[in-house]
Amino acid sequence: MACGPSPTPGGYSVTPTEPLVRTSAGQAAVRPPLPVKLVIAGGFGVGKTTAVGSISEIEPLTTEAAITEVAAGVDDLSHTPRKTTTTVAMDFGCITIDPTLKLYLFGTPGQERFGFMWDDIVEGAVGGLVIVDTRRLDDCYAAVDYFEHKRIPFAVAVNAFDGQVAHTLDEVRWALDVSDGVPLLVFDARERGSVRDALLVVLEQALARTEG
């Protein structure tokens, strides 16, 4: 199911059109939507898989594996005691924003020990969404550093667990040491519309980088 256009906090919106092309027989045909790759990143258990599943118009592809006793000794489960699985490769989903644009979403694994996969997952992406849990901000430092180092446009989305965040956006910006040019927003990874708006902010960043 496609999402209709929606303005973002930055005022950006995607306006539906019917892009027509001419076939070899001279008949009008609807051009397929432009494919755009975005990456959803962040630390362990911050809501990446949930966000992809909330927005994807297809059954999302996930590579979830059970958390073993050994892994539980490495990964901090204190804030996610009900989490029994973790992404070990990537998540994948897609969403048609309007007839001209289709987003392909790739979620990265959150643990640093799977960081060797990031270059392959991120290749060809126009932007990234770094999801943050304010109860453990240090878990997202690696993702922020990665996008800054690769010079890939990104936005930071604070996931409101139980409808609350532990720090203000100004405090988060200071803690992450990201520039004023990096959008920060609060969203709910479980809500389709909230995820859509966050992704459109990333898209706006990518377009601004292209135009600049």
Side-chain angles (χ1 to χ4, degrees), residues 5 9 12 29 52-53 87 93 135:
Y12 175 77
V52 173
T87 300
R135 299 169 299 181

Side-chain angles (χ1 to χ4, degrees), residues 5 13 23 56-57 85 92 101-102 111 132 149 155 163 179 185 205:
S13 63
T23 66
S56 180
E57 64 191 11
T85 61
F92 172 78
L101 185 65
K102 187 169 186 176
Q111 299 93 325
V132 171
H149 178 72
S179 70
L185 58 129
Q205 282 293 97

Side-chain angles (χ1 to χ4, degrees), residues 8 20 29 56 81 89 124 150 190 209:
T8 69
L20 298 180
S56 180
K150 294 292 186 178
R190 302 167 300 177
R209 176 74 62 88

Side-chain angles (χ1 to χ4, degrees), residues 9-34:
Y12 175 77
S13 63
V14 177
T15 303
T17 60
E18 289 292 338
L20 298 180
V21 295
R22 293 289 176 179
T23 66
S24 57
Q27 298 175 330
V30 177
R31 177 183 296 141
L34 177 69

Side-chain angles (χ1 to χ4, degrees), residues 104-128:
Y104 290 87
L105 311 174
F106 291 77
T108 66
Q111 299 93 325
E112 289 190 28
R113 61 182 179 275
F114 296 124
F116 66 91
M117 304 178 62
W118 276 49
D119 284 344
D120 290 333
I121 295 174
V122 173
E123 184 177 2
V126 302

Side-chain angles (χ1 to χ4, degrees), residues 55-70:
I55 192 71
S56 180
E57 64 191 11
I58 64 171
E59 185 69 25
L61 169 66
T62 61
T63 52
E64 294 280 285
I67 297 176
T68 64
E69 291 185 7
V70 174

Side-chain angles (χ1 to χ4, degrees), residues 47-103:
K48 300 182 297 296
T49 300
T50 299
V52 173
S54 297
I55 192 71
S56 180
E57 64 191 11
I58 64 171
E59 185 69 25
L61 169 66
T62 61
T63 52
E64 294 280 285
I67 297 176
T68 64
E69 291 185 7
V70 174
V74 176
D75 300 320
D76 182 7
L77 300 176
S78 59
H79 293 290
T80 55
R82 294 188 295 274
K83 187 172 178 61
T84 59
T85 61
T86 185
T87 300
V88 295
M90 68 173 187
D91 300 314
F92 172 78
C94 61
I95 177 65
T96 302
I97 297 297
D98 68 30
T100 70
L101 185 65
K102 187 169 186 176
L103 303 183

